[in-house]
């Protein structure tokens, strides 16, 4: 099956933009440069010129489309309903297909991450295990102290502090394949997605999510053979790999039996609830992908719709602020539900965050590929968080979680970062520790 790229895209999508400019003030890259070409409208015009054959896909276009965060703030602002996510994904796919940014170093890192590690769950798990050992032996601190990486590979030295702390136990070591509520009389049977970065670095959030589902009448099926969701591949120009991972993911879940499939990561959920466009030409998977899309729910969305048991009061009064992940807020349109749930927790005050829906700079792997712009957005976000004086920051995506954590650490701010569902789980458990 031939993969689809920008040049093959349905022209009705390419010509949706009415040039009104309402997206411009919401775009972080336009805000940075005030240049039309760094805005959603400018990028769409460039894509249209390529589709019309007036311009070619070249290095400048490649760089522009990788300067875009893919944060989708423009989608929320657009009155014409422009399908920017599809344009963005197909533009990057065209760039990779045409190889206009191809360099040996870039090729190596893409091969390692996109083609190898995130295609092979066992290899990714093995890498996580080795990294955990490395961190437990404090070799990471030794490397930082001796500054050896600065000599051997300065770029890696810059990236090293962003390495997440690997969990002591992965999800399948603390979540049973089938778990049922204490009364053994569930109202729903749901599937649960453990993710890959979430599984390696935040498996405790996965445990908390299952606990909250159990506390609210759900039996939870967590298949063992889940792989990466493919959002990394889709957002980085490799739709055929994303399609292969989508098929694997669909095969892992018993769609007919499940009432819903639950995601707790904004970025993964945003990709996973739109598998049907990716598999629409696959006769074996098209119908199953459509059924999958209908059942994929974000955890906040699911709990808000089905209702939750009243959480007991937190042991001590807490002030928290909420940073919505872009892909949860703009991509999945799960906007009110996280705060609806949090307001149900007695003894918790939610403090508004200035520019809450402005990207924190994580944006998938943007903080690795565009560290300068990502750093500016991180600083801006951390400044707003500090201004709230909150005891805790809540966010529901592993990339944002890490970006906020490292940003707060850089400024010596001791405010912890937590997933909203972990706070709910703590309330149910009457857990005092943050
Ligand atoms: S996705 Fe974000 S960075 Fe890209 S054009 Fe839209 S608002 Fe701007
Ligand atoms: S808001 Fe939508 S229609 Fe208006 S310029 Fe931006 S993308 Fe085009």
């Amino acid at each position: 099956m031939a993969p689809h790229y920008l040049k093959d895209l349905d022209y009705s999508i390419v010509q949706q933009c009415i040039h009104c400019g309402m997206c411009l003030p919401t775009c972080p890259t336009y805000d940075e440069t005030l240049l039309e070409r760094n805005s959603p409208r400018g990028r769409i015009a460039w894509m249209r010129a390529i589709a019309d054959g007036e311009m070619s896909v070249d290095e400048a276009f490649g760089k522009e489309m990788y300067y875009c965060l893919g944060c989708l703030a423009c989608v929320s602002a657009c009155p014409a309903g422009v399908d920017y996510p599809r344009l963005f994904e197909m533009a990057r796919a065209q760039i990779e297909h045409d190889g206009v940014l191809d360099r040996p170093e870039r090729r190596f890192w893409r091969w390692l991450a996109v083609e190898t590690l995130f295609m092979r769950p066992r290899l990714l798990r093995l890498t996580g295990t080795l990294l955990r050992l490395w961190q437990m032996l404090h070799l990471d601190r030794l490397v930082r102290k001796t500054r050896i990486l600065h000599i051997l590979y300065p770029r890696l030295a810059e990236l090293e502090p962003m390495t997440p702390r690997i969990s002591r136990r992965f999800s399948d070591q603390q979540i049973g394949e089938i778990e049922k509520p204490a009364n053994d009389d569930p109202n729903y049977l749901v599937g649960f997605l453990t993710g890959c970065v979430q599984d390696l670095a935040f498996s405790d959030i996965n445990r908390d999510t299952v606990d909250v589902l159990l506390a609210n009448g759900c039996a939870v099926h967590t298949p063992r053979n889940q792989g990466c969701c493919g959002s990394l591949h889709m957002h980085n120009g490799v739709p055929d790999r994303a399609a292969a991972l989508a098929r694997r993911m669909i095969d892992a879940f018993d769609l007919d039996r499940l009432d819903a499939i639950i995601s707790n990561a904004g970025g993964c959920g945003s990709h996973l609830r739109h598998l049907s466009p990716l598999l629409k030409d696959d006769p074996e998977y098209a119908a199953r992908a459509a059924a999958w899309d209908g059942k994929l729910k974000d955890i906040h969305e699911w709990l808000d719709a089905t209702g939750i048991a009243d959480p007991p009061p937190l042991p001590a009064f807490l002030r928290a602020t909420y940073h919505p992940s872009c892909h949860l807020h703009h991509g999945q349109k799960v906007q009110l539900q996280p705060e609806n749930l949090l307001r149900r927790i007695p003894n918790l005050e939610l403090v508004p965050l200035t520019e809450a829906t402005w990207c924190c700079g994580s944006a998938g792997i943007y903080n690795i590929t565009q560290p300068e712009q990502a750093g500016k957005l991180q600083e801006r976000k951390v400044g707003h968080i500090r201004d709230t004086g909150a005891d805790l920051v809540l966010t529901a995506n592993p990339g944002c979680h890490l970006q906020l954590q490292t940003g707060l650490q850089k400024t010596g701010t001791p405010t912890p970062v937590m997933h909203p569902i972990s706070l709910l789980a703590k309330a149910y458990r009457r857990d005092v520790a943050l």
Side-chain angles (χ1 to χ4, degrees):
M1 205 174 310
H4 295 283
Y5 306 126
L6 180 62
K7 289 178 190 166
D8 315 313
L9 197 58
D10 189 331
Y11 197 73
S12 65
I13 299 177
V14 181
Q15 48 95 59
Q16 284 167 334
C17 177
I18 54 171
H19 320 293
C20 67
M22 287 179 71
C23 52
L24 268 60
T26 69
C27 175
T29 54
Y30 178 72
D31 181 74
E32 174 68 20
T33 66
L34 297 180
L35 294 173
E36 177 73 12
R37 72 161 187 271
N38 303 137
S39 75
R41 186 174 62 186
R43 290 178 179 127
I44 293 165
W46 202 338
M47 288 186 240
R48 185 171 177 165
I50 289 169
D52 288 342
E54 289 165 7
M55 293 185 81
S56 58
V57 175
D58 58 10
E59 191 180 350
F61 179 68
K63 286 186 171 164
E64 185 53 50
M65 288 313 301
Y66 277 91
Y67 184 47
C68 170
L69 291 140
C71 69
L72 311 186
C74 49
V75 176
S76 292
C78 179
V82 172
D83 190 354
Y84 189 80
R86 187 116 186 96
L87 287 164
F88 168 81
E89 288 167 357
M90 292 304 101
R92 285 195 173 180
Q94 191 75 58
I95 289 158
E96 297 310 325
H97 175 262
D98 293 7
V100 292
L101 295 177
D102 205 17
R103 302 282 180 281
E105 190 184 359
R106 186 177 189 272
R107 205 179 310 141
F108 169 75
W109 287 114
R110 284 182 63 87
W111 167 81
L112 183 65
V114 180
E115 305 279 333
T116 308
L117 284 179
F118 286 90
M119 288 302 293
R120 295 182 172 80
R122 285 199 192 134
L123 192 59
L124 186 65
R125 180 68 76 92
L126 176 66
T127 310
T129 307
L130 294 173
L131 204 50
R132 175 166 60 196
L133 194 63
W134 173 267
Q135 291 171 346
M136 282 167 69
L137 295 172
H138 301 303
L139 294 173
D140 49 345
R141 288 191 208 165
L142 186 69
V143 161
R144 263 173 245 165
K145 208 168 160 188
T146 55
R147 297 178 64 80
I148 185 103
L149 270 184
H150 287 83
I151 301 160
L152 296 177
Y153 196 166
R155 176 82 184 103
L156 210 52
E158 282 169 29
L159 296 178
E160 193 277 328
M162 287 189 237
T163 315
R165 290 259 12 124
I166 302 299
S167 303
R168 286 188 173 262
R169 292 187 301 158
F170 298 132
S171 302
D172 63 356
Q173 293 163 318
Q174 44 180 329
I175 300 171
E177 193 163 355
I178 297 272
E179 295 202 17
K180 292 183 181 168
N183 65 3
D184 201 16
D185 185 21
N187 299 324
Y188 305 101
L189 173 62
V190 300
F192 178 55
L193 293 154
T194 49
C196 37
V197 175
Q198 191 90 317
D199 179 38
L200 295 186
F202 298 111
S203 57
D204 51 336
I205 295 176
N206 284 342
R207 180 66 253 174
D208 292 340
T209 307
V210 172
D211 285 346
V212 170
L213 286 166
L214 295 173
N216 288 289
C218 298
V220 185
H221 177 213
T222 309
R224 293 304 186 238
N225 49 346
Q226 304 180 31
C228 171
C229 69
S231 68
L232 173 78
H233 306 76
M234 200 62 201
H235 296 155
N236 286 279
V238 208
D240 51 343
R241 296 279 183 194
L245 289 166
R247 289 186 196 98
R248 195 192 288 172
M249 191 65 95
I250 289 171
D251 286 342
F253 288 83
D254 186 349
L255 284 181
D256 292 337
R257 285 184 59 225
L258 296 172
D259 295 302
I261 299 155
I262 305 292
S263 161
N264 63 5
C268 307
S270 178
H271 168 69
L272 282 170
R273 65 196 303 154
H274 300 116
L275 295 190
S276 43
L278 190 58
L279 298 176
K280 70 179 170 34
D281 298 327
D282 184 328
E284 198 188 328
Y285 281 87
R288 291 168 72 194
W292 168 282
D293 288 359
K295 293 199 172 182
L296 200 289
K297 304 284 175 217
D298 171 71
I299 180 70
H300 309 88
E301 176 187 24
W302 170 258
L303 294 172
D304 190 57
T306 55
I308 60 167
D310 286 332
L314 294 174
F317 178 75
L318 196 68
R319 296 177 81 240
T321 195
Y322 172 62
H323 161 69
S325 116
C326 293
H327 280 86
L328 187 59
H329 186 91
H330 302 298
Q332 300 195 54
K333 305 286 181 232
V334 174
Q335 301 180 342
L336 300 175
Q337 297 92 327
E339 293 185 68
N340 287 347
L341 295 176
L342 290 166
R343 280 199 200 91
R344 295 283 301 277
I345 304 176
N347 254 352
L348 176 72
E349 183 194 348
L350 275 182
V351 191
L353 180 65
T354 304
E355 291 185 344
T357 57
W358 199 255
C359 182
C360 65
S362 165
I365 54 169
Y366 193 86
N367 52 0
I368 297 172
T369 58
Q370 304 277 345
E372 197 184 330
Q373 175 65 10
K376 287 180 188 170
L377 291 169
Q378 183 187 48
E379 216 173 287
R380 182 165 172 164
K381 181 65 69 179
V382 166
H384 290 317
I385 292 171
R386 283 163 64 98
D387 290 345
T388 64
D391 306 310
L392 179 69
V393 194
L394 299 161
T395 196
N397 187 52
C400 308
H401 196 128
L402 288 168
Q403 180 82 343
L404 300 185
Q405 219 167 39
T406 52
L408 288 162
Q409 275 162 11
K410 269 190 217 165
T411 56
T413 314
T415 316
V417 184
M418 194 182 281
H419 194 293
I421 297 302
S422 292
L423 188 61
L424 193 53
K426 279 180 182 292
Y428 282 132
R429 286 186 209 125
R430 299 172 195 271
D431 186 350
V432 288
L434 269 189

